[in-house]
């Protein structure tokens, strides 16, 4: 691989960086963020927000950056590899009814963001899944930044592989049947980092 064409790893920025032309500022990165990324209830940005919330709970958000297209969402140094999935009852658009809660759990190919090498084996590559549900149901008071409006369900990947091998999506009722650890934000770190035997699947 040509070293000059290697991976461009994200550099954490402050938001104060200007758009510039010949030494003159024409807006700022913070302005771009506000313009492009204020719609936190949309599916794409809500998913990124859920990853940030989980990374914050696990103590790995400060100083770090999100890496698009990594084979897992969050890597805890010395700890588990984490996959984050999000869903919500409320959407940006006009709704006739609350959305049905469904999470993606499809096994997938792996891609090394540094080497660019694809592993064609379809696997669930994380050690643990965190299903983040924006549970609030009133659009007038919906605030994705209010952590009390979220619920979190923590489940070892081994449970999914044993009970839902090859399955691509998971309803909320099906998730609950697998006996995940249900927690709010303050209990999330302990739920993820507790010893694996304490994260049990469904009683047999």
């Amino acid at each position: 691989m040509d070293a000059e064409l290697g991976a461009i790893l994200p550099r954490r920025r402050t938001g104060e960086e200007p758009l510039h032309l010949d030494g003159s500022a024409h807006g700022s990165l913070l302005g771009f963020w506000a313009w492009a990324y204020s719609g936190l209830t949309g599916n794409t940005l809500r998913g990124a927000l859920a990853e940030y919330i989980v990374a914050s709970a696990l103590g790995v958000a400060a100083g770090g950056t999100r890496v698009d297209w990594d084979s897992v969402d969050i890597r805890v140094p010395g700890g588990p590899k984490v996959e984050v999935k999000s869903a919500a009852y409320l959407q940006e658009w006009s709704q006739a009814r609350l959305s049905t809660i469904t999470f993606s759990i499809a096994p997938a190919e792996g891609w090394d963001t540094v080497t660019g090498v694809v592993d064609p084996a379809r696997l669930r590559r994380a050690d643990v899944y965190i299903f983040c549900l924006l549970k609030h149901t009133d659009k007038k008071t919906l605030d994705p930044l209010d952590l009390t409006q979220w619920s979190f369900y923590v489940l070892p990947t081994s449970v999914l592989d044993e009970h839902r091998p090859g399955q691509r999506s998971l309803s909320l009722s099906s998730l609950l049947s697998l006996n995940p650890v249900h927690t709010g934000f303050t209990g999330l770190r302990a739920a993820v980092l507790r010893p694996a035997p304490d994260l049990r699947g469904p009683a047999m």
Side-chain angles (χ1 to χ4, degrees):
M1 176 184 296
D2 189 331
E4 294 185 358
L5 295 178
I8 300 176
L9 298 178
R11 174 170 59 89
R12 189 176 177 94
R13 300 177 184 269
T14 67
E16 297 178 359
E17 297 85 349
L19 279 71
H20 52 89
L21 176 65
D22 297 331
S24 298
H26 296 270
S28 68
L29 182 58
L30 180 61
F32 164 66
W33 286 343
W35 176 81
Y37 298 115
S38 290
L40 299 179
T41 55
N43 287 334
T44 300
L45 285 188
R46 187 191 65 240
L49 176 61
E51 291 179 27
Y52 177 72
I53 290 171
V54 171
S56 297
L58 297 180
V60 297
T65 58
R66 181 174 184 262
V67 179
D68 282 335
W69 306 113
D70 198 356
S71 57
V72 297
D73 292 325
I74 298 171
R75 297 176 184 270
V76 180
K81 298 188 293 291
V82 179
E83 189 74 13
V84 178
K85 299 298 181 183
S86 78
Y89 291 108
L90 299 176
Q91 308 297 334
E92 284 184 320
W93 52 85
S94 179
Q95 297 172 254
R97 62 187 64 83
L98 297 177
S99 293
T100 300
I101 300 302
T102 304
F103 299 97
S104 172
I105 57 168
E109 295 179 343
W111 184 48
D112 188 314
T113 57
V114 175
T115 66
V117 174
V118 175
D119 180 354
R122 292 191 171 273
L123 306 170
R124 297 182 178 117
R125 298 173 186 277
D127 300 306
V128 62
Y129 273 65
I130 302 177
F131 299 94
C132 306
L133 174 61
L134 186 56
K135 61 185 178 181
H136 201 67
T137 57
D138 179 6
K139 283 197 170 182
K140 292 180 180 179
T141 55
L142 178 66
D143 178 8
L145 300 179
D146 181 353
L147 297 175
T148 66
Q149 295 189 7
W150 291 83
S151 282
F152 305 92
Y153 301 88
V154 181
L155 193 68
T157 305
S158 58
V159 175
L160 288 175
D161 287 342
E162 179 180 357
H163 297 278
R164 301 292 187 272
Q167 190 166 316
R168 299 185 59 83
S169 63
L170 191 69
S171 68
L172 180 58
S173 60
S174 184
L175 170 61
L176 295 178
S177 74
L178 296 176
N179 194 28
V181 175
H182 180 202
T183 183
F185 177 79
T186 57
L188 188 53
R189 177 179 173 85
V192 173
L193 299 183
R194 70 179 61 190
D198 290 337
L199 287 172
R200 298 182 176 86
M204 302 301 290

